Amino acid sequence: MEIVHSAIAILAAILLIIRFGIDPVISLLVASVYLGLATGQGAEGTVGEITGGFGEIMAEVGLLIGFGVLIGALLHSMGTFRDLVDLLARRVGRRLPYAMAATLSTIFPSIYVDVQVVLAAPMAKESAAAVDRRHGLPWLAGAMGIGIFSGYVFVVPGLAAVAIAGLMDVPLGTYLLYGVPIGLATALITTVLFRLLLGWGLWKEDTDLDPDVVARGDDPDVEAEEVPHAEGAARLPLLVRLLPILVPLVLIASAAIVDVVGDLPAALAFLGDANIALFLGLLIAFFMVRPSLGADGVGKVLTSGFHTTGEILLVTGVGGSLGAVIAGSGLDATLTDLFAADENAPVVLSILLAWFIAAVLHFAIGSVSVAAITAAGIIAPVVGSLGVDPVVIALAIASGAMFALHVNSNFFWMFTTLLDLSTKGSLKTLTLATSLGAVVSLPLVLVASLVAAAT
């Protein structure tokens, strides 16, 4: 019966989020409480699993998420992202969609997705005619969508990537080594395929653009404009301003590589720990911005990051709670049998099931991070018994969680408004690009499973 109660709990959470507009934190907690009580864990046991699961995932990723968001806020105040996009537009010209997809997917996952689209959308609109007079805007829009979300789910310190790795107990260094090439390849291949679709008559400017769009009262530009601008730091060379991202990535990757090929020195193990590496990145960003903004200005920038951090931490933590309750329900044995149903292809079947669960959850809920966290919470209790490297299942969840971002997502409407698209236009760009990306990345995950099995 535990599988029936788990299905009821998950469907109830989805229904509460979609039909009644209840916050994911409340919805997931309601589902956790129901599942714990319905599967005989008792009141005390249910509370213990909820709080224990929350605390365990916070110990894994709490600091990482906080540091990542704060680094993104400080980089935003220095104009780092805007200047990088400007540089790419000047250097690559008509190849800007590829450059934008590659940059968004590999360099800027530390910046929250809402901020990325706010900053990248003006550049896309201004550069569209130079890239392609007929299809420049939809091509750039699709490249933006897949670039942002492939980085968000595959590339550390993307928030969904960090949450998935934490829930699946995958070292961030390991996730980074697999995720960066998959995220970059997904973004570039999808951008190529999307351009081919545009050439086949997909885009209809008369119906897919909304030139008369008016700024809404909750215009997302407003929040971005309220963040102080560090003019002094903004004059630093772009490469220097990228150090808060580059230094942690180099440290984490170096420690992971050295650990694979030989003995890991204690100093590198310390500096390559994801928490320490990201904290060093945060310190670098802080000391870059402080001389320009002073204590009050830096405080305002960090406060803007804290607003984002709280929601992400709660959703991630409650996702851990649901996973703990599922583990306590006895569902792990049932799911183990399900994942190992085909003894001739357990790896492929496990990957496909993980992808499918995440894809269905995202399509229903409308949040990439909530879908990924929920899927990871469902699968994490059984991943150790599947005979598949946990990083492979984590990547499959990341792949599926991108599938079909559509009208039940707040990001969808930000994207629509900022790029002056109609709803139909956003379905043809953002929804199609993320769907393509989820499908494109799946065989890449299968290849990663072969690499993982051979190492």
Side-chain angles (χ1 to χ4, degrees):
M1 286 298 291
E2 67 275 359
I3 195 167
V4 174
H5 289 303
S6 296
I8 292 172
I10 293 166
L11 290 173
I14 293 172
L15 184 64
L16 289 172
I17 293 169
I18 296 175
R19 179 65 180 85
F20 299 103
I22 296 176
D23 187 85
V25 171
I26 297 174
S27 301
L28 290 173
L29 271 176
V30 169
S32 299
V33 170
Y34 165 80
L35 182 58
L37 296 176
T39 53
Q41 297 180 52
E44 185 176 350
T46 298
V47 173
E49 295 290 356
I50 289 173
T51 55
F54 189 98
E56 185 175 344
I57 190 59
M58 284 299 99
E60 291 282 343
V61 303
L63 287 176
L64 300 176
I65 290 174
F67 292 159
V69 171
L70 295 179
I71 289 172
L74 291 167
L75 289 174
H76 174 36
S77 74
M78 291 188 280
T80 307
F81 182 81
R82 181 188 62 249
D83 290 348
L84 180 59
V85 173
D86 288 343
L87 176 66
L88 291 172
R90 294 194 304 270
R91 294 286 178 88
V92 303
R94 294 174 63 88
R95 297 190 299 274
L96 180 60
Y98 302 110
M100 184 174 285
T103 304
L104 289 168
S105 64
T106 57
I107 298 178
F108 279 94
S110 65
I111 296 180
Y112 195 51
V113 293
D114 291 358
V115 177
Q116 289 190 55
V117 73
V118 165
L119 296 174
M123 176 55 61
K125 290 194 292 185
E126 292 171 12
S127 307
V131 170
D132 187 310
R133 188 166 297 277
R134 289 184 58 201
H135 299 132
L137 182 59
W139 192 14
L140 285 165
M144 280 174 52
I146 189 57
I148 288 172
F149 283 101
S150 61
Y152 188 58
V153 300
F154 284 121
V155 181
V156 174
L159 299 180
V162 171
I164 295 169
L167 284 164
M168 301 297 291
D169 200 24
V170 175
L172 279 186
T174 303
Y175 195 95
L176 178 67
L177 291 178
Y178 285 94
V180 170
I182 291 177
L184 177 60
T186 297
L188 293 177
I189 294 170
T190 303
T191 301
V192 172
L193 295 176
F194 188 72
R195 179 64 183 87
L196 294 176
L197 290 175
L198 290 173
W200 293 340
L202 172 71
W203 186 254
K204 305 295 182 184
E205 188 169 303
D206 292 343
T207 58
D208 297 336
L209 286 179
D210 183 12
D212 298 321
V213 68
V214 294
R216 297 181 296 180
D218 58 342
D219 190 342
D221 278 314
V222 173
E223 183 176 353
E225 291 172 356
E226 291 177 353
V227 177
H229 181 59
E231 296 182 3
R235 290 193 289 269
L236 293 171
L238 182 59
L239 183 60
V240 173
R241 283 181 282 156
L242 287 172
L243 289 177
I245 296 174
L246 299 178
V247 169
L249 292 182
V250 169
L251 289 172
I252 294 170
S254 298
I257 293 170
V258 173
D259 191 35
V260 170
V261 301
D263 293 332
L264 182 63
L268 184 56
F270 175 75
L271 295 174
D273 179 85
N275 292 286
I276 299 300
L278 281 178
F279 180 61
L280 290 175
L282 177 59
L283 287 178
I284 293 170
F286 177 86
F287 285 114
M288 283 182 182
V289 171
R290 176 62 185 265
S292 300
L293 295 181
D296 290 342
V298 173
K300 290 180 180 178
V301 173
L302 295 178
T303 298
S304 70
F306 290 141
H307 290 162
T308 301
T309 305
E311 179 182 359
I312 297 169
L313 288 176
L314 275 175
V315 173
T316 303
V318 174
S321 296
L322 178 60
V325 174
I326 289 174
S329 71
L331 182 64
D332 53 350
T334 304
L335 285 180
T336 298
D337 293 340
L338 175 64
F339 271 77
D342 186 349
E343 294 182 359
N344 296 319
V347 174
V348 173
L349 180 62
S350 297
I351 290 171
L352 292 176
L353 281 172
W355 186 95
F356 180 75
I357 290 170
V360 170
L361 286 170
H362 178 225
F363 187 83
I365 294 173
S367 168
V368 172
S369 57
V370 173
I373 289 165
T374 304
I378 293 169
I379 298 170
V382 301
V383 71
S385 58
L386 298 180
V388 183
D389 194 312
V391 71
V392 174
I393 301 300
L395 293 168
I397 291 170
S399 173
M402 284 195 297
F403 183 75
L405 196 151
H406 61 100
V407 296
N408 59 352
S409 166
N410 291 333
F411 184 92
F412 180 92
W413 298 110
M414 287 183 65
F415 188 90
T416 301
T417 302
L418 289 169
L419 288 171
D420 292 347
L421 303 177
S422 65
T423 300
K424 188 176 181 181
S426 286
L427 289 170
K428 289 183 177 181
T429 52
L430 180 62
T431 306
L432 180 57
T434 52
S435 300
L436 275 175
V439 174
V440 165
S441 58
L442 182 56
L444 299 177
V445 175
L446 292 172
V447 171
S449 71
L450 299 177
V451 176
T455 56

